[in-house]
Amino acid sequence: RQRQMCIRDRQKPDLVISDLLMDGKDGFDVIDAANQNNIPVIIMTSERRNKDMIIEMGAKYMHKSVLGSDDFTEVFRKTVLDTLTADH
């Protein structure tokens, strides 16, 4: 799990997509690490109570309920495009 938190300049991703709840580190740690490296983040989670905090930290929020929906592809594509085109 520690490898997930290691963001190196030469392997800097364009975007990080993460769950909020994980073993060890959590999605908030992912947001912090990504913010330090100016990398946009999308948090996909079933946790609704942390939505405001996720957004305040600068990440995009997607509820996992869209995973089974017919319009998942469109919702996901729009969120990714919005995230990648936002100023970071």
Side-chain angles (χ1 to χ4, degrees), residues 25-67:
K25 304 270 184 188
D26 62 25
F28 297 116
D29 296 318
V30 172
I31 296 170
D32 284 338
N35 284 346
Q36 291 174 16
N37 290 278
N38 202 33
I39 300 167
V41 179
I42 297 173
I43 297 293
M44 290 190 68
T45 184
S46 58
E47 290 285 316
R48 293 183 193 270
R49 65 177 175 220
N50 293 309
K51 178 181 179 180
D52 291 339
M53 185 183 303
I54 291 166
I55 294 168
E56 287 172 18
M57 292 180 74
K60 294 283 186 175
Y61 169 89
M62 283 187 69
H63 192 271
K64 283 186 176 179
S65 64
V66 300
L67 290 174

Side-chain angles (χ1 to χ4, degrees), residues 4-20:
Q4 294 169 344
M5 297 301 299
C6 184
I7 299 173
R8 300 179 190 151
D9 288 334
R10 71 176 194 267
Q11 296 177 356
K12 185 176 173 182
D14 293 325
L15 173 69
V16 173
I17 301 171
S18 178
D19 196 339
L20 189 62

